Amino acid sequence: MNPNSPSQVHARLRVFLTAARHLSFTRAAEELHITTGAVSQQIKLLEDWLGLRLFRRLPRRNELTDAGNRLLAAVDPAYAAVDLAIGHLRGGALSGVVRVRALPSFLATWLVPRLPKLMTSFPQIELQLEAEDSSYSLRDGEFDLAIDLNDGAYPGFQSTVLLEEEIFPVCSPLLLHGRPPLETPDDLRHYPLLHDMTAWRGSPPYAEWERYLRAIGAPQVEVRRGYMFNRNHITMQCAIAAMGVAMARRTLITDELDSGRLVAPFSQTVRTGKRYCLVYSAGALADPRVATVHDWIVGEAR
């Protein structure tokens, strides 16, 4: 058998697509019901055939290279279209309810503005959306898909990485009027601080500020003060109202910076090590409705 025949290349592309969605060869192996070694071998054969590296193998995770991202951008929608066609041919009607649970801020800021596109593409699918804090545990049977912010480990579930999160301080330009300059972290002592006290699952109330300042080498700045909220988008609204300096998440803030309603006083951004992930039970993607919503959300994140 020709190792580079079209059938062999297509098989490797399927393995690549699964590994790229999870950014983990181990999780790809679990979904494909093969060994991690087999996933690694298939990826290497594809890389050798292309003459390009598709993944950076890091100690605790994988990252797509530029070539990997370009290949994913081509392969993902193509296979999504194939899967959709197969679903129709098999009589898997794309009609009915798909239950999606999401973090309130992610739901309000990231997902809801994109939903009209889903409605246009798949009008027969009815989403049942539920906003839940990350303080609530994920329990099997309560959702078809859940969007969560964590380190990517979900025992008993499968998951697909959507977006890496990074944070940085923001404030209204109105807040700066009549106050000392806000040019260094030490200058924060002149300003009230705003906190999202449920930043991610199990996080303490001041987690985002403390992680940011520790990462930029300013852990001595006192941040255990100010106003606290349990929704990121509410924290951002209070920042817009010039109540204080808040910690923004890159994923959830775009228009506010573009419009000038908020400004970023410091240039440094910090990766939290947390990821927005799609979480689902084993076998959930066998339902064409769930698989369609899953693939659409992944496509939007890409």
Side-chain angles (χ1 to χ4, degrees):
M1 180 182 294
N2 179 2
N4 293 322
S5 66
S7 62
Q8 293 296 308
V9 172
H10 284 302
R12 290 168 197 152
L13 286 173
R14 270 292 191 185
V15 174
F16 163 76
L17 178 59
T18 307
R21 285 174 174 170
H22 291 288
L23 292 178
S24 166
F25 290 179
T26 300
R27 291 181 188 167
E30 292 172 354
E31 181 173 326
L32 296 169
H33 304 290
I34 59 178
T35 66
T36 303
V39 171
S40 181
Q41 181 184 35
Q42 291 297 303
I43 296 296
K44 184 178 186 304
L45 289 170
L46 182 61
E47 290 177 326
D48 290 345
W49 182 69
L50 291 170
L52 296 166
R53 290 283 300 277
L54 300 174
F55 289 92
R56 296 185 190 90
R57 279 74 163 179
L58 303 177
R60 295 187 178 180
R61 58 190 173 92
N62 295 319
E63 284 185 352
L64 286 169
T65 62
D66 289 341
N69 276 309
R70 293 199 303 271
L71 183 60
L72 179 63
V75 169
D76 198 12
Y79 275 99
V82 171
D83 290 341
L84 181 59
I86 290 173
H88 282 306
L89 291 172
R90 293 179 60 197
L94 291 179
S95 62
V97 174
V98 175
R99 300 169 300 161
V100 178
R101 169 179 161 172
L103 301 173
S105 294
F106 190 91
L107 177 62
T109 307
W110 191 92
L111 185 57
V112 166
R114 291 170 166 81
L115 289 182
K117 295 166 62 177
L118 177 67
M119 293 174 64
T120 300
S121 300
F122 307 102
Q124 294 85 10
I125 292 179
E126 302 173 19
L127 289 189
Q128 178 179 304
L129 296 168
E130 181 178 352
E132 283 287 6
D133 286 331
S134 60
S135 56
Y136 289 87
S137 298
L138 297 175
R139 290 182 289 273
D140 198 6
E142 294 185 351
F143 56 86
D144 297 310
L145 296 168
I147 301 175
D148 194 63
L149 178 64
N150 204 350
D151 58 7
Y154 296 95
F157 292 97
Q158 295 182 348
S159 64
T160 303
V161 175
L162 293 177
L163 299 158
E164 300 276 351
E165 191 56 281
E166 60 182 18
I167 55 177
F168 55 96
V170 295
C171 66
S172 167
L174 299 176
L175 183 70
L176 304 175
H177 292 172
R179 292 179 182 266
L182 182 54
E183 297 174 348
T184 71
D186 286 336
D187 296 331
L188 288 167
R189 68 183 184 274
H190 302 297
Y191 290 83
L193 301 183
L194 308 177
H195 303 271
D196 178 359
M197 61 184 178
T198 55
W200 53 80
R201 190 176 305 282
S203 64
Y206 305 97
E208 287 183 314
W209 273 106
E210 290 180 340
R211 178 162 297 193
Y212 178 84
L213 292 168
R214 186 167 60 249
I216 67 171
Q220 75 284 353
V221 176
E222 176 54 50
V223 297
R224 298 197 171 203
R225 56 187 176 82
Y227 299 93
M228 307 191 71
F229 310 90
N230 69 339
R231 297 284 190 276
N232 176 270
H233 61 286
I234 295 176
T235 310
M236 291 301 102
Q237 288 301 312
C238 291
I240 291 170
M243 288 179 57
V245 186
M247 193 60 64
R249 301 179 192 171
R250 175 70 68 188
T251 300
L252 303 183
I253 186 168
T254 51
D255 294 343
E256 293 86 351
L257 292 175
D258 293 340
S259 67
R261 288 179 293 168
L262 292 176
V263 296
F266 309 143
S267 61
Q268 302 102 318
T269 64
V270 170
R271 283 199 169 189
T272 64
K274 307 298 179 181
R275 305 167 178 177
Y276 288 99
C277 296
L278 263 178
V279 185
Y280 44 92
S281 301
L285 300 188
D287 184 325
R289 296 168 300 180
V290 178
T292 296
V293 176
H294 169 281
D295 293 347
W296 178 83
I297 293 174
V298 170
E300 287 295 305
R302 300 297 182 202

